[in-house]
Amino acid sequence: LDDGVLTFTVTSAADGIYINKTNAGAVVPLVIANSGSGNDITGPAWSIISTGNIGILELTSGGTINATGGALTIGKTATATTFAGTVTISEGLTTSDGAVTFTDNSNTAASVSIVNATASTYAGEFKVTAAGITSGTGALFTFAGLTTGTGLSIVAAATTSGSILKLTATEATLTSENSGFYINCYDGAASDFTVGKYGSTIIAGNAGTDVLTITAGNFKVTSGTITQASTASASVLAITADSVTTSTTGGVTMSFDGLTSGYGLSISHTTSAITTGSVVKIVSTGVDTGTAQGTLVDLVSSGTTAGTVLGLTAESLATGIGALITLNGLTTGQGVSIASSATAITTTGRMFLVTHSGTTGTTATLSEFTSAATDETTVLRVTATAALALGTVLDISAAALTTGTALDIGGMAAITTGNGIVVEASGTTRTDGKLLSLTCASTAATATGRMLLVNHTGATGVSTVLAEIKSAATDETVILQVLASAALAAGTVVNLSAAAMTTGTALAINDLNALTTGIGVSVVSNSADATARSLVYIKNDHASAVGAIPLETVNDAVVASKFKAQAKFGGFTLWVSTDGTTPNGALTGTAGDICLNCNATTHKMMVCTGTDQWAAVTG
């Protein structure tokens, strides 16, 4: 037809046009040549058009291409097939060979979205099987333009016991824990994060940054060890628990319930010598202002009976310090406090014990307390409770001591108004107790041996008192008592030696200002032995000391304005007239009393004959 329309109207139930090619030649049964822009073939809901070398099958909305009873092939092998619009696959997609590439230029929707609202226990929504891959890549996702979005998003909101992402491999085929990975995060030059054989995880990290952060929950190792190796100058392990306030288990908890002979926590330093650093350092800047103060380090052992709670061992320590405690800000607190409420401590029990098992030493000092205080600070105090009755506050034992010193109080060259030793008891209920008791059973003590020696080697002093015994007692207390045994025969109870003394006083008894019926010096002997002896013996032992007076009595009390009582012998008083005035009629005495210097001219003495009557001594 050169022009017009050829129409076939089919009114029966038979095929409208049937073309049967029986020739085997390579000719086309139906050829459509269309020089215009319209469709080549048009159907009720579809059309076919060819533009250049491209054939287009266009279906209206809801159109279906269906290969009934067989496979449908779209495209040609080794050529590209393009779907311009949205493609929906309702029964699955299988690629037999070649790669599947999704190229998406959209920035508002997902490039690949897999949705399955029905599956609950299936092995996986998105499954990649690459059984033959050894070192290549099974699935490759490239998001070259991604900045703040998400390259791959897997959403499984209803997951309970399933796996949102499951990677399956045979452990035996993986090379090692550090080669052959389940997960490998690669930055183009090196791996930043890998998960390998047996779950071995390696994080490359970056110095000075947080590599692994757990915002909540616990970190638990059920078996194996945790090894931390670092060459950085920052903290190797930093644990921050700023929100922990009233934790009963602690910010860091370590449990070693099965430990018998091993170590719960071992910190080793063997590579180099420490100069100004510390192997372990605990710092707290918190201030306790309440009534219940906290404890910086608390060691609690409720099950230990014969073990050691805290042990410090430094076998090679020579000039260093085993334990150093610095408390520069201490006010009313305690540097070291050892408390025990035990009531079963035996003779070998100790709350504090310093044991030196070395047999020799070079002027060794085993324990020392030093202080640079310039005020009334007490360097060492030993305090017993008010209920202590039979115990010993301070016990010094030196059974093998020969030429050594049990208690040495030296270095007091600068003492002025202070005291070398003060022993004070302010109580009033003591009976037979002793404030200071020195006991020695030695029988080999020589002339230089001493049980108690107070040695002041200073050449000068300002009214220095070397030894003082004080008492605030208001009763019949004996302040100082010196007792010799009943067997002492030729010894000396008290020996005062002052060979170089010139203007000083060997024995001074002063301040008897309150004395009434008491006695300043009392010498009593109850011996029945008739041998001649002296209870008080005074001797000037040098014939040239003509100015020496063996006994001198001075009385500032004046009786009847002119007379002083100087001495009493056998009940009779020796009086002295101050200016030669006669006592006759002026001084009352006892018959037998004697008064010296009773005449201003002759200076003779007089004898009392009764009351105020005195008679001159003639001859």
Side-chain angles (χ1 to χ4, degrees):
L1 298 176
D2 292 333
D3 195 4
V5 177
L6 178 61
T7 301
F8 288 89
T9 301
V10 181
T11 59
S12 63
D15 295 335
I17 297 176
Y18 176 77
I19 300 175
N20 184 10
K21 178 180 178 294
T22 60
N23 187 280
V27 294
V28 180
L30 177 62
V31 177
I32 299 174
N34 186 357
S35 300
S37 60
N39 297 331
D40 294 335
I41 300 175
T42 299
W46 58 273
S47 63
I48 298 176
I49 187 173
S50 61
T51 302
N53 296 325
I54 299 176
I56 300 174
L57 172 61
E58 183 174 342
L59 305 178
T60 60
S61 177
T64 301
I65 298 177
N66 186 20
T68 304
L72 173 65
T73 301
I74 301 176
K76 183 181 179 181
T77 303
T79 60
T81 300
T82 302
F83 296 90
T86 301
V87 179
T88 300
I89 302 174
S90 61
E91 295 186 8
L93 173 65
T94 301
T95 60
S96 60
D97 193 7
V100 178
T101 301
F102 296 92
T103 301
D104 184 12
N105 295 323
S106 174
N107 194 31
T108 59
S111 297
V112 178
S113 179
I114 300 175
V115 179
N116 190 331
T118 304
S120 60
T121 60
Y122 185 64
E125 281 301 311
F126 180 75
K127 184 176 182 180
V128 178
T129 302
I133 291 181
T134 57
S135 60
T137 302
L140 176 62
F141 297 88
T142 303
F143 307 99
L146 187 65
T147 56
T148 59
T150 301
L152 178 63
S153 175
I154 302 176
V155 179
T159 301
T160 56
S161 59
S163 301
I164 296 177
L165 177 62
K166 183 177 181 179
L167 307 176
T168 302
T170 303
E171 293 285 356
T173 60
L174 294 177
T175 304
S176 65
E177 290 84 348
N178 301 326
S179 178
F181 305 111
Y182 289 102
I183 300 174
N184 188 346
C185 298
Y186 191 77
D187 64 3
S191 296
D192 291 337
F193 175 83
T194 59
V195 178
K197 190 175 183 179
Y198 308 124
S200 175
T201 302
I202 299 176
I203 303 175
N206 185 22
T209 61
D210 296 337
V211 176
L212 179 62
T213 301
I214 300 176
T215 58
N218 304 322
F219 181 78
K220 183 177 182 180
V221 178
T222 57
S223 179
T225 61
I226 298 176
T227 302
Q228 183 110 9
S230 175
T231 58
S233 59
S235 298
V236 177
L237 175 62
I239 300 175
T240 302
D242 294 336
S243 300
V244 176
T245 56
T246 58
S247 173
T248 57
T249 57
V252 178
T253 302
M254 298 183 183
S255 178
F256 309 99
D257 293 338
L259 189 65
T260 56
S261 59
Y263 299 97
L265 176 62
S266 176
I267 300 176
S268 177
H269 177 269
T270 59
T271 56
S272 59
I274 295 178
T275 55
T276 58
S278 303
V279 176
V280 177
K281 182 178 182 180
I282 300 176
V283 179
S284 175
T285 57
V287 178
D288 294 325
T289 57
T291 58
Q293 285 75 23
T295 302
L296 184 58
V297 178
D298 194 359
L299 300 179
V300 179
S301 177
S302 58
T304 302
T305 55
T308 302
V309 177
L310 176 62
L312 300 177
T313 303
E315 296 290 350
S316 302
L317 187 67
T319 59
I321 299 175
L324 175 62
I325 301 176
T326 303
L327 306 165
N328 294 332
L330 192 66
T331 55
T332 59
Q334 289 88 35
V336 176
S337 177
I338 302 176
S340 174
S341 60
T343 58
I345 297 179
T346 62
T347 55
T348 58
R350 302 288 188 272
M351 286 187 64
F352 182 76
L353 174 64
V354 178
T355 301
H356 176 243
S357 58
T359 57
T360 59
T362 306
T363 317
T365 300
L366 299 184
S367 299
E368 181 176 358
F369 297 86
T370 64
S371 175
T374 58
D375 53 4
E376 72 282 0
T377 296
T378 301
V379 179
L380 175 63
R381 170 179 289 177
V382 180
T383 303
T385 64
L388 183 67
L390 302 178
T392 302
V393 177
L394 179 62
D395 184 2
I396 299 177
S397 176
L401 190 66
T402 55
T403 58
T405 303
L407 178 62
D408 183 7
I409 302 177
M412 295 190 294
I415 196 170
T416 55
T417 59
N419 303 286
I421 296 179
V422 176
V423 180
E424 180 179 353
S426 58
T428 58
T429 59
R430 299 184 68 255
T431 56
D432 58 347
K434 302 173 181 64
L435 289 180
L436 179 62
S437 177
L438 302 177
T439 302
C440 178
S442 174
T443 58
T446 63
T448 58
R450 301 288 187 270
M451 281 190 64
L452 176 63
L453 175 63
V454 179
N455 186 7
H456 177 241
T457 59
T460 59
V462 182
S463 301
T464 303
V465 177
L466 298 184
E468 181 177 355
I469 301 175
K470 299 174 64 175
S471 174
T474 59
D475 53 5
E476 71 284 358
T477 297
V478 177
I479 296 178
L480 175 63
Q481 179 171 277
V482 181
L483 297 177
S485 68
L488 184 67
T492 301
V493 178
V494 178
N495 182 15
L496 300 179
S497 176
M501 182 178 289
T502 56
T503 59
T505 302
L507 176 63
I509 302 176
N510 299 317
D511 296 336
L512 297 176
N513 299 337
L515 194 66
T516 56
T517 58
I519 300 173
V521 177
S522 176
V523 180
V524 178
S525 175
N526 194 29
S527 174
D529 192 288
T531 304
R533 59 187 180 275
S534 301
L535 293 183
V536 176
Y537 178 74
I538 302 173
K539 179 182 180 181
N540 174 27
D541 203 21
H542 202 289
S544 300
V546 295
I549 301 175
L551 177 63
E552 179 180 1
T553 64
V554 178
N555 188 359
D556 289 339
V558 180
V559 179
S561 303
K562 301 291 184 179
F563 307 96
K564 295 181 180 180
Q566 294 298 125
K568 181 175 283 191
F569 303 94
F572 299 98
T573 303
L574 177 63
W575 299 83
V576 175
S577 175
T578 59
D579 57 357
T581 302
T582 177
N584 191 26
L587 177 63
T588 300
T590 301
D593 287 355
I594 297 175
C595 182
L596 303 179
N597 191 30
C598 296
N599 188 289
T601 302
T602 62
H603 304 293
K604 291 184 176 182
M605 62 182 180
M606 300 182 72
V607 178
C608 180
T609 58
T611 318
D612 60 351
Q613 299 300 308
W614 296 76
V617 177
T618 59

